[in-house]
Amino acid sequence: MSYKLICAALCALILTLSGRAGGQQRATQDSLIALIDIVTATNPSIGAASDLVTAAQARVRSAGARPDPMLMLGAINVPVRTLSQTDDDMTMRMIGIEQNIPYPGKLGLRRRIAELEVTAARFSAETVRLAVVRDLKSAWYELNYIDEALSIARRNESLLTSVANVSRARYASGSGTQQEVLRSTLEATRLNESANALIE
């Protein structure tokens, strides 16, 4: 199931729970805001983008740090047959520490690059969030449009059915024409088909 279908289903659920009727525009806006909060808190794409920002922030501190020192231990000229440290006068043991010192300014530049990567990750995360909210709002307003269009089509269908009934009564009494009956029945049928097309 695609994410847009999930958004549409959530929108339908919120519309149902808010009990939309006539003039509850404020209730639907509040419902949309609540739905946006739910989606932004639970959307996996937004969560992944936020994790990338956190990872980029964690790299800033280490980017400006010197490399770790290395401890070296070794033995030179150890006789292979006996592996004795004392049989040969040329046998040496050594211990040492090595530290790389970067060229001046290099660590600051690395830190600056890491900070810029954090900024880029933030912009990317905001882009993902806005895209998800856009898709959600698009599904929300499309659902509202269909809901309102269905309501209007049902009202018009009811009116046209009443007009068709009046036309039939007039035709039955002899004061109306068959053309009026056929036209009003045809319009009611067309309206019903339009309403059914909205549901599909």
Side-chain angles (χ1 to χ4, degrees):
M1 181 181 281
S2 74
Y3 196 72
K4 286 188 178 183
L5 288 175
I6 293 170
C7 286
L10 282 172
C11 290
L13 177 65
I14 295 291
L15 280 175
T16 305
L17 293 177
S18 67
R20 279 192 73 230
Q24 291 187 338
Q25 188 68 22
R26 184 74 203 148
T28 58
Q29 286 300 325
D30 290 343
S31 300
L32 176 59
I33 292 167
L35 189 59
I36 289 171
D37 290 341
I38 291 169
V39 168
T40 53
T42 59
N43 182 277
S45 300
I46 293 174
S50 176
D51 290 344
L52 288 176
V53 172
T54 305
Q57 287 171 335
R59 287 192 293 269
V60 170
R61 187 172 178 183
S62 62
R66 286 186 181 157
D68 292 335
M70 291 190 299
L71 177 65
M72 295 182 298
L73 299 170
I76 298 175
N77 294 332
V78 177
V80 178
R81 292 183 183 184
T82 62
L83 295 177
S84 171
Q85 299 279 326
T86 57
D87 284 352
D88 192 344
D89 290 339
M90 297 298 290
T91 300
M92 293 185 283
R93 289 173 286 229
M94 62 180 197
I95 184 168
I97 296 177
E98 182 180 307
Q99 171 71 59
N100 289 334
I101 299 175
Y103 191 79
K106 196 170 185 180
L107 292 178
L109 286 175
R110 282 185 186 163
R111 184 177 182 90
R112 181 69 183 133
I113 289 169
E115 288 169 351
L116 290 174
E117 286 174 352
V118 170
T119 303
R122 282 190 182 130
F123 281 122
S124 178
E126 183 62 12
T127 301
V128 169
R129 188 189 72 79
L130 289 174
V132 168
V133 170
R134 179 202 61 216
D135 290 344
L136 175 66
K137 285 184 176 181
S138 175
W140 174 267
Y141 288 116
E142 185 176 347
L143 195 64
N144 272 298
Y145 165 76
I146 291 171
D147 188 41
E148 201 58 43
L150 273 173
S151 175
I152 291 168
R154 295 295 181 215
R155 272 185 305 210
N156 287 346
E157 182 186 10
S158 174
L159 286 173
L160 281 174
T161 302
S162 298
V163 168
N165 290 339
V166 169
S167 298
R168 281 190 204 98
R170 286 185 52 178
Y171 179 69
S173 67
S175 60
T177 64
Q178 187 177 13
Q179 185 179 3
E180 290 175 353
V181 174
L182 292 175
R183 187 179 300 146
S184 59
T185 304
L186 179 63
E187 287 301 320
T189 305
R190 280 186 188 160
L191 212 57
N192 188 29
E193 288 174 1
S194 299
N196 290 335
L198 285 171
I199 295 170
E200 295 170 3

